[in-house]
Amino acid sequence: MAAPAKRVEQLDRVVIRFAGDSGDGMQLTGDRFTSETAQLGNDISTLPNFPAEIRAPAGTLPGVSSFQVHFADYDILTPGDSPNVLVAMNPAALKANLSELPAGADLIINTDEFTKRNLAKVGYPVSPLEDGSLADYAVHPVALTSMTVGALADQGISKKDAERAKNMFALGLLCWMYSRPFESTLRFLERKFAKRPELVAANKTAFQAGWNYGETTEAFSVRYEIKPARMRPGTYKNITGNQALALGLVAATVRSKLPLFLGAYPITPASDILHELSKHKRFGITTMQAEDEIAAIGAALGAAYGGALGVTTTSGPGVALKGETISLAIALELPLVIVDVQRAGPSTGMPTKTEQADLNMALYGRHGEAPLAVIAPKSPSDCFHAALEAARIALTYRTPVILLSDNYVANGSEPWLLPSVDELPDLSVEFATTPNAEDGKFLPYLRDPETMARPWAVPGTPGLEHRIGGLEKADKTGDISYDPANHEFMVRTRAARIEAIEVPDIDVEDPSEDARVLVLGWGSTYGPIGAACRALRQRGLTIAQAHLRHLSPLPANLGEVLKNYDKVVIPEMNLGQLAHVIRARYLIDALPFNQVSGLPFTAATLESMLEDVVKNG
């Protein structure tokens, strides 16, 4: 009997969430689906969400891991507010995510896991598959586990290994439903299990079984197509924020012609930068996994003193530990890039959840008057350019720079247009090679009249011997000084040279040119703010948007921009840290809108809030 004919429908966008136990391979499944989608040319944005524990209790709500992917035939800005499709591998995954599904959403449920024991673990007295509570959704019960085990019965692997392959069955089914290719996934499986050929064969078979199930079953009568998005010509790569940041640092070392030294201590969610950079030693990159955060930044600062581009990566708790050495770098006036991939705090907080609450620490979190430059990327692919900009400022102005990424952009992914190397900034550095004083001596704190940067002298250069250390420096000579007037001069000079850093003016997106409300964001709020403003404009409302990359120093035109609007709204994933800065510096009655849930803003939340501000003032 021939397989039933399948109807093909065209869609412009879809949001899919894979959810299951933290051992079910949901991150891998979502990542592979995303990779195949990227190859088709759709615009994509992803949101991984997983527990901090290495292995939370199986089948419980704290152990649920999910991966959401939003893909479309037009440019998109967020991973989507709510999924159109939820793949729930067990009752916990269903219960943890059901409240976020709109009516009519597709539910693909692994019925094999809906046992009395698993239902009881999450407080279901009766299976939701039987009590009518899912009547508002399009429910597709699929015996994922048993069908996978059945498909692998003759593969010669254990039942446990066979059950583990159920995520590949689910991936094959979803790839069939949404007309995704699968060749690169098969190649990926060959690489991943290269040392165990039986697992290569088993996972390929499970994937194909899922695809065949979609093709032949009457449970799925429709498959969908989403055409490629119209994007700028060029070569694209699907990339996460941490990968993009690492490659930005690689580009910085090439364009500066300097060796790069990374001193890092593993910490979620920054560790992937260390992992990625360690693959690129051929570009003159040295990576060191230190014994602790203090040793990591100490080694990076030592490398900077020796003439390298020094980098250290961490998250909020690590920045706190690095504070004293950051202050030392400020006093020494050496280039250093400190990457802070923010997570929810305080203390250990929620290591795998996102937040923007380290801004105050980046701006002010050191003893004494210790200003430095602070920048923040707005999206995963923008991490590449933010890393280059951090290196430019550090090398040009001889200052530490804090790059404030966060978990949302670090682990999220999107298409990245590979730039031409010739288009990247020239970061070449001129080291001091000869004495710079009229009497033939070397003055280590004699400043460049344009950048106010002091000369960078590589240790061992004849005639350029100079004192180094944390005690206050005498102007020009760098000798130890306790003179009150000199100390005040040096404190004010260190502050002035940060304010003198040249950064681009802030751009305002105001298509109507008559908006009275401006939304000001920084970092990863760019996507949700942009999507909310886009939705309001499509409904005929006028609203302007501006986004800060440089948080210290702030753009020179920011004050004038703010004064052009009746209302300035600042959404942040903290309790109003940028809003406090804006109010204090520009005397603007900025309206903060804050969320500290460990999750990014949804566009719908911001759209509703901003609509009220636009209509009611």
Side-chain angles (χ1 to χ4, degrees), residues 106-136:
D106 284 304
L107 270 174
I108 299 175
I109 296 177
N110 181 15
T111 56
D112 289 325
E113 297 299 317
F114 278 66
T115 63
K116 287 184 178 181
R117 182 182 179 186
N118 287 344
L119 292 167
K121 284 182 181 180
V122 293
Y124 276 133
V126 181
S127 173
L129 296 171
E130 301 170 357
D131 65 3
S133 60
L134 304 180
D136 291 338

Side-chain angles (χ1 to χ4, degrees), residues 226-447:
I226 296 89
K227 293 181 179 179
R230 293 182 179 179
M231 305 172 77
R232 288 174 54 194
T235 302
Y236 286 82
K237 173 181 174 62
N238 179 48
I239 200 165
T240 68
N242 276 345
Q243 289 172 332
L245 202 155
L247 293 180
L249 292 172
V250 173
T253 194
V254 172
R255 298 299 286 174
S256 65
K257 304 178 181 65
L258 295 176
L260 183 146
F261 178 90
L262 172 70
Y265 180 75
I267 184 171
T268 301
S271 300
D272 285 341
I273 303 171
L274 169 62
H275 302 159
E276 182 66 30
L277 278 177
S278 67
K279 303 174 184 177
H280 301 290
K281 294 180 175 64
R282 65 187 181 280
F283 292 106
I285 292 172
T286 301
T287 56
M288 182 187 83
Q289 180 174 314
E291 65 267 31
D292 56 43
E293 296 281 6
I294 299 172
I297 190 172
L301 181 57
Y305 176 60
L309 175 56
V311 181
T312 188
T313 54
T314 187
S315 191
V319 178
L321 291 167
K322 295 176 189 291
E324 183 179 3
T325 307
I326 295 174
S327 289
L328 175 60
I330 292 168
L332 298 180
E333 300 185 28
L334 285 171
L336 182 67
V337 176
I338 303 109
V339 177
D340 175 6
V341 186
Q342 300 166 95
R343 67 192 205 185
S347 190
T348 308
M350 299 191 294
T352 60
K353 309 304 178 184
T354 197
E355 208 162 80
Q356 288 182 299
D358 291 354
L359 179 58
N360 280 344
M361 181 165 62
L363 294 173
Y364 312 118
R366 290 163 296 282
H367 59 285
E369 293 286 346
L372 46 63
V374 181
I375 67 172
K378 66 183 181 181
S379 68
S381 64
D382 188 49
C383 288
F384 174 85
H385 303 285
L388 275 169
E389 176 66 355
R392 179 192 74 85
I393 293 173
L395 294 171
T396 304
Y397 297 92
R398 311 284 195 268
T399 178
V401 179
I402 292 182
L403 194 162
L404 280 178
S405 180
D406 65 46
N407 187 69
Y408 178 33
V409 297
N411 288 316
S413 63
E414 66 180 358
W416 171 48
L417 176 61
L418 271 63
S420 168
V421 174
D422 295 337
E423 296 173 356
L424 300 179
D426 182 358
L427 304 180
S428 299
V429 173
E430 290 188 12
F431 291 108
T433 56
T434 58
N436 56 1
E438 293 181 359
D439 59 1
K441 294 182 179 180
F442 176 61
L443 299 176
Y445 282 83
L446 183 66
R447 302 182 181 280

Side-chain angles (χ1 to χ4, degrees), residues 506-509 515-522 525 528-530 532-533 536-537 543-548 562 565 567-571 591 593 606 609-610 613-614:
I506 191 169
D507 293 324
V508 179
E509 184 180 333
R516 304 316 309 155
V517 174
L518 172 71
V519 191
L520 181 66
W522 69 275
T525 58
I529 290 173
C533 290
L536 290 173
R537 292 178 190 132
I543 193 165
Q545 176 190 0
H547 205 77
L548 286 168
L562 297 176
Y565 295 89
K567 298 287 183 182
V568 176
V569 185
I570 304 180
L591 303 175
F593 185 76
L606 294 183
M609 177 272 295
L610 293 172
V613 174
V614 171

Side-chain angles (χ1 to χ4, degrees), residues 533-563:
C533 290
R534 178 187 290 178
L536 290 173
R537 292 178 190 132
Q538 290 173 346
R539 292 164 51 198
L541 299 177
T542 58
I543 193 165
Q545 176 190 0
H547 205 77
L548 286 168
R549 163 176 281 182
H550 297 86
L551 297 158
S552 175
L554 292 163
N557 70 328
L558 180 57
E560 289 302 315
V561 166
L562 297 176
K563 291 176 182 177

Side-chain angles (χ1 to χ4, degrees), residues 356 519-522 525 528-529 532 568-580 583 590-596 600-613:
Q356 288 182 299
V519 191
L520 181 66
W522 69 275
T525 58
I529 290 173
V568 176
V569 185
I570 304 180
E572 296 181 82
M573 292 185 290
N574 57 45
L575 294 183
Q577 295 182 19
L578 177 63
H580 293 159
R583 284 177 163 181
L591 303 175
F593 185 76
N594 307 116
Q595 174 177 298
V596 283
F601 284 112
T602 65
T605 297
L606 294 183
E607 181 183 350
S608 176
M609 177 272 295
L610 293 172
E611 180 180 7
D612 183 65
V613 174

Side-chain angles (χ1 to χ4, degrees), residues 27-43:
Q27 302 305 314
L28 174 63
T29 305
D31 182 70
R32 294 315 312 162
F33 189 90
T34 300
S35 295
E36 300 292 5
T37 296
Q39 290 196 30
L40 270 183
N42 298 125
D43 198 13

